[in-house]
Amino acid sequence: MNLRQLSTVNALSDNVTACEYQGVNIIRVIHPLAEAGISLHGGHLLWFKPQGEKDIIWLSEKAIFDQSKAVRGGIPICWPWFGQAGTPSHGFARTSQWSLLEHRENENGVIVSLALEDNEETYAIWPHKFKNVLTFEIGQELKVSLTSTNTGNQPWSYSGALHTYFDIANINDIDITGMGPKYLDSTQQGKVCEGGSTLTFNGETDRVYTQPEATITINDKNNNREILVNNEGHNAAVIWNPWQALSVNMGDMADNSYETMVCVESTIHQPSIELAPGQSHTLLTTISSR
Ligand code: TA6
């Protein structure tokens, strides 16, 4: 994504601007502590960079912005289900149009909140009444929280993920800790497996860790940094790297770009979260580097 091609539509405050990129509405944040961009299509964070540091979030150089599908990279919002639990895959939130609810700023950063409520299109896919509020706290660290509320009069349940793509120097030279002992291997039809305490990569990896620690650490050795991912409101953490063969088959990833990304996802897997009428639940991830 060439940020120079962003056209400014409206300055909303000193730190927040409404922009457009290939017809997609983007909320751009430029603050003394960090920069970020959030697409209203999908409620999708596209970039986050603490000032003076490298990008923490990965965005595919071949990402497609035609709004027909989710952008490859950033933080897709998988909701109200994870993966193939329904159609479309990973739910409809990541391809829905969200609205800007509010933005605030002070010396610690900027808060941007978006909303997605049931409408004719969502109801045709998933017949429930809901309100989602997605809040981004952008400062030295990035906090993303998705609060889902049942606004109907029948209970419903949901799963999902904050499907974060992290920008790393080289997949062959990172390790990840804090995943917990057990995982379901999606490359082996969900087979239950035991993992070691430190995860390294040498091929396609697609795993649902079912007992993750609250903080997962990506040791991004060649960037001389650790990326800390602190999750709440989740019951699993997914790790994904497609490796080369899958990347080559994906139209929105360059053949070797799998080398510079890894997904670590704050996930609601099984059991799903059940909400009675009026009830809410929040899925959260806080991302920082050191
Ligand atoms: O979270 C991992 C995963 O479910 C993988 O199985 C892989 O398919 C990935 O998400 C990306 O899915 P997408 O629908 O965005 O191509």
Side-chain angles (χ1 to χ4, degrees):
M1 179 177 195
N2 186 346
L3 293 183
R4 273 168 299 192
Q5 286 174 7
L6 282 180
S7 56
T8 302
V9 180
N10 198 2
L12 302 177
S13 70
D14 286 351
N15 299 140
V16 182
T17 312
C19 301
E20 216 179 280
Y21 179 76
Q22 297 183 5
V24 177
N25 295 114
I26 291 175
I27 305 298
R28 184 180 67 186
V29 171
I30 301 180
H31 183 275
L33 292 182
E35 295 184 16
I38 301 157
S39 161
L40 293 185
H41 172 69
H44 199 132
L45 182 124
L46 299 172
W47 70 91
F48 168 66
K49 182 180 158 330
Q51 297 292 4
E53 292 181 34
K54 294 197 168 92
D55 276 287
I56 293 186
I57 303 298
W58 181 89
L59 182 63
S60 173
E61 65 198 73
K62 291 178 77 179
I64 295 167
F65 285 85
D66 69 2
Q67 305 190 46
S68 66
K69 56 189 284 196
V71 167
R72 180 70 59 200
I75 310 185
I77 305 298
C78 304
W79 195 93
W81 52 81
F82 180 80
Q84 318 293 328
T87 305
S89 173
H90 283 321
F92 53 78
R94 65 177 183 161
T95 50
S96 295
Q97 188 68 16
W98 293 63
S99 57
L100 178 62
L101 204 57
E102 65 162 345
H103 57 92
R104 282 178 280 141
E105 61 204 38
N106 62 24
E107 68 280 8
N108 296 317
V110 177
I111 296 179
V112 176
S113 289
L114 310 184
L116 176 67
E117 292 185 65
D118 58 280
N119 56 53
E120 264 177 37
E121 278 174 34
T122 68
Y123 210 80
I125 302 170
W126 191 67
H128 300 293
K129 293 182 76 62
F130 69 88
K131 180 169 185 178
N132 277 341
V133 175
L134 181 58
T135 300
F136 300 90
E137 295 181 36
I138 299 150
Q140 194 67 49
E141 55 183 35
L142 170 69
K143 189 182 277 195
V144 183
S145 66
L146 173 65
T147 299
S148 304
T149 303
N150 182 347
T151 54
N153 50 26
Q154 298 294 326
W156 46 255
S157 58
Y158 75 102
S159 61
L162 305 172
H163 192 303
T164 311
Y165 288 72
F166 289 94
D167 198 317
I168 51 167
N170 191 329
I171 190 73
N172 295 296
D173 218 0
I174 66 163
D175 62 54
I176 297 185
T177 52
M179 303 305 305
K182 282 199 166 54
Y183 65 90
L184 312 176
D185 192 338
S186 306
T187 69
Q188 300 184 71
Q189 290 76 47
K191 185 179 164 196
V192 181
C193 300
E194 291 271 343
S197 59
T198 304
L199 174 64
T200 55
F201 296 80
N202 55 17
E204 183 194 350
T205 304
D206 194 352
R207 299 179 176 182
V208 180
Y209 281 85
T210 51
Q211 299 164 351
E213 293 170 21
T215 301
I216 293 168
T217 304
I218 305 169
N219 185 1
D220 184 12
K221 295 179 196 164
N222 294 354
N223 274 332
N224 288 318
R225 68 177 175 186
E226 285 182 331
I227 299 172
L228 307 181
V229 187
N230 186 272
N231 297 329
E232 291 169 52
H234 63 312
N235 57 23
V238 170
I239 298 279
W240 181 57
N241 183 287
W243 220 250
Q244 189 166 39
L246 279 185
S247 306
V248 168
N249 283 331
M250 278 191 262
D252 54 4
M253 267 184 86
D255 293 356
N256 286 325
S257 62
Y258 75 94
E259 290 177 342
T260 58
M261 55 76 59
V262 68
C263 289
V264 177
E265 308 166 29
S266 180
T267 308
I268 297 166
H269 191 248
Q270 280 157 4
S272 50
I273 302 285
E274 179 158 324
L275 293 182
Q279 263 190 334
S280 299
H281 178 80
T282 299
L283 178 65
L284 200 142
T285 192
T286 305
I287 294 162
S288 60
S289 72
R290 65 180 181 203

